[in-house]
Amino acid sequence: MNFNYLAKKYGTPLYLYDFDHFKNQYLKLKEAFAGRKSIISYAVKANSNLSVIKHFASLGSGADCVSIGEVKRALLAGVNKYKIIFSGVGKRDDEIKEALIKDILMINVESEAELARVEAIAKELGKIARISIRVNPNIDPKTHPYISTGLHENKFGVDIETAKKMYIFAKKSEFLNPVGIHFHIGSQLTQLEPIKEASAIVSDLVRSLKAIDVDIKFFDIGGGLGIKYKDEKLIEPYDYAQAILSTLSGLDVTVICEPGRFLVGNGGYFITKVLYEKVNADKRFVIVDGAMNDLIRPSLYKAYHKIEVLNENNEKSKANIVGPICESGDFFAKNIEVPKTNPGDLVVIYSAGAYGFTMASNYNTRPRVAEVAVENEKERLIRRRETFEDLIACEIDYLV
Ligand code: LLP
């Protein structure tokens, strides 16, 4: 990837996406499940640019969505509606209604109260809602507590006993069709054992549901496969698939998996530019034009992202890489060895394809940056840089 050329052409800060990497990751995972009915439903929240979703849709991917906005994005990008899943702990009535009208594969229900709402809305519409239930298997995924979701202390899903009750209720309802089961224990998973354990627990539940005539067709294992930010030892897609499949013996189900980070994380680069350097008492700061509003992972999770300064300078020392926002939390890295910089030097932040742009904000009235796709060595702009006018477009009262 020619960072210098692309930064010059599109300006900085900038997100760059390697669409070939995205494709390879998708194919690797799809192949891992070969020989078994499977759907990969890309977790749109990781990177919801329409061109990114379209790229996956063209490979046959479905979409895992967490708001009606994401469902609409998926449909607009050409995802097959029967591969779209709508999850989330707090769906509004209007979102449920629209999802039912759009006739997507299934709504993933996360509480008894929500199941009652889905039933009522389906009845109003004279439809039968295909649903799955998110089960919380109470497994510690051994990842960052903010992105761990499969423990009872988390807000997600319902416990096994409640799930059973809900399936029996759904089975009896004229307006509900329980077709799937779902679990997702966390993100950036690097250990196989918790996934396998969760899958075993949930597949046992599927067996006991079959015994009472609830015929589960879709076994949705969520997302969560980790990627390399630094020196993590990763789960191989093949081992992942084998671990899941080993828990499914005797069950005729389609496996759905919802990867986000695995598909797009390592194929994204955030490119920013040095504005100044300054030294305070004993600290050196490299001040760049990108900031926490563009990529919040380091500030929010103390996440590590590899950083490279593109210059030939061999004289290195420790520095904090910081942005222009009025917060001490506005940093990309602290105390890392970097060369002496000059204004205009490019700084590349790696592994920024997932939860980068989608978590960006306009804090400090900073326009969100441009996004560029690189595919077959050709680049194209897939989202233009926002302007000041874009930022104020929804504010309507100040003129009167
Ligand atoms: N399915 C469900 C139900 C999820 O909640 C998530 C992510 C995924 C799939 C996709 O997970 P992935 O394959 O990307 O790990 N903002 C955080 C990550 C939050 C993940 C939320 N749920 C970060 O930047 O690390």
Side-chain angles (χ1 to χ4, degrees):
M1 192 137 336
N2 191 336
F3 297 127
N4 279 304
Y5 163 78
L6 294 166
K8 203 171 223 165
K9 180 158 177 190
Y10 296 99
T12 59
L14 177 67
Y15 272 103
L16 293 176
Y17 304 131
D18 179 348
F19 271 34
D20 300 314
H21 174 85
F22 290 179
K23 179 178 175 180
N24 289 338
Q25 292 294 96
Y26 176 87
L27 295 178
K28 234 187 265 173
L29 197 55
K30 185 68 191 160
E31 263 161 41
F33 284 98
R36 187 83 194 206
K37 286 178 286 183
S38 71
I39 302 173
I40 293 183
S41 284
Y42 167 55
V44 167
K45 62 175 82 75
N47 186 327
S48 45
N49 186 293
L50 289 167
S51 303
V52 173
I53 306 172
K54 184 176 166 197
H55 187 52
F56 287 118
S58 74
L59 299 168
S61 178
D64 163 48
C65 303
V66 78
S67 67
I68 200 69
E70 286 191 353
V71 171
K72 286 185 188 169
R73 277 185 181 271
L75 289 168
L76 203 56
V79 177
N80 178 336
K81 66 179 179 175
Y82 296 124
K83 292 183 180 177
I84 297 179
I85 303 148
F86 182 17
S87 298
V89 283
K91 301 178 200 77
R92 296 188 312 264
D93 281 7
D94 60 293
E95 292 186 293
I96 295 169
K97 184 172 175 185
E98 207 167 339
L100 289 175
I101 292 170
K102 299 233 181 301
D103 193 30
I104 60 173
L105 175 63
M106 56 192 182
I107 295 180
N108 186 27
V109 176
E110 302 218 17
S111 64
E112 288 179 275
E114 189 190 22
L115 188 62
R117 283 315 299 153
V118 174
E119 188 197 37
I121 295 166
K123 187 174 176 184
E124 251 169 58
L125 295 172
K127 286 187 172 286
I128 299 173
R130 281 182 299 276
I131 57 135
S132 61
I133 291 170
R134 178 164 180 176
V135 178
N136 185 331
N138 199 25
I139 295 283
D140 181 356
K142 309 218 160 52
T143 183
H144 191 291
Y146 281 16
I147 51 179
S148 135
T149 48
L151 278 169
H152 283 163
E153 66 190 55
N154 302 124
K155 66 179 173 179
F156 301 96
V158 295
D159 58 56
I160 303 273
E161 285 315 306
T162 310
K164 261 191 205 160
K165 247 171 67 191
M166 288 166 72
Y167 277 112
I168 291 167
F169 175 86
K171 169 86 184 158
K172 285 192 188 140
S173 166
E174 268 178 76
F175 302 100
L176 298 171
N177 182 10
V179 293
I181 197 157
H182 176 264
F183 66 95
H184 169 84
I185 60 171
S187 200
Q188 184 56 13
L189 305 177
T190 52
Q191 294 187 33
L192 200 48
E193 211 37 52
I195 305 174
K196 192 171 171 181
E197 230 178 289
S199 184
I201 292 171
V202 178
S203 67
D204 278 347
L205 175 58
V206 172
R207 286 188 190 91
S208 61
L209 290 172
K210 290 230 169 189
I212 52 168
D213 242 13
V214 178
D215 188 21
I216 300 295
K217 296 185 179 66
F218 298 100
F219 190 82
D220 184 342
I221 61 175
L225 265 188
I227 59 165
K228 206 180 264 285
Y229 286 100
K230 196 176 194 176
D231 47 17
E232 296 88 344
K233 221 177 143 281
L234 301 181
I235 300 168
E236 283 302 319
Y238 178 81
D239 298 336
Y240 176 61
Q242 288 310 309
I244 301 285
L245 297 180
S246 72
T247 67
L248 293 179
S249 59
L251 291 177
D252 179 23
V253 287
T254 298
V255 177
I256 299 185
C257 118
E258 309 169 342
R261 190 189 317 265
F262 175 82
L263 296 183
V264 294
N266 285 140
Y269 304 82
F270 181 63
I271 315 294
T272 174
K273 187 173 76 181
V274 174
L275 296 173
Y276 315 102
E277 279 218 19
K278 81 172 175 188
V279 180
N280 263 358
D282 56 355
K283 271 255 178 292
R284 172 183 166 215
F285 296 94
V286 175
I287 303 159
V288 295
D289 63 356
M292 66 188 281
N293 74 299
D294 303 310
L295 175 65
I296 203 172
R297 302 195 71 259
S299 312
L300 194 57
Y301 314 116
K302 295 203 175 75
Y304 171 88
H305 284 260
K306 181 181 144 190
I307 294 185
E308 191 180 9
V309 175
L310 301 187
N311 71 22
E312 304 289 307
N313 214 330
N314 289 326
E315 194 190 324
K316 287 192 176 177
S317 67
K318 288 216 155 101
N320 288 4
I321 315 292
V322 303
I325 281 186
C326 57
E327 302 246 2
S328 301
D330 181 22
F331 62 89
F332 292 119
K334 288 185 170 171
N335 295 318
I336 58 165
E337 286 280 334
V338 281
K340 175 136 189 41
T341 66
N342 288 309
D345 285 352
L346 291 185
V347 176
V348 180
I349 304 185
Y350 288 79
S351 307
Y355 308 107
F357 190 92
T358 47
M359 293 180 80
S361 76
N362 294 118
Y363 188 36
N364 281 199
T365 304
R366 289 171 53 88
R368 281 178 299 171
V369 309
E371 296 175 285
V372 168
V374 179
E375 188 172 11
N376 289 325
E377 290 171 28
K378 284 201 194 73
E379 86 274 357
R380 59 184 195 273
L381 184 66
I382 58 173
R383 193 180 203 273
R384 67 163 171 80
R385 190 175 299 283
E386 286 177 349
T387 61
F388 173 70
E389 286 68 32
D390 291 329
L391 263 59
I392 61 165
C394 300
E395 293 167 44
I396 49 177
D397 187 55
Y398 69 104
L399 289 173
V400 288

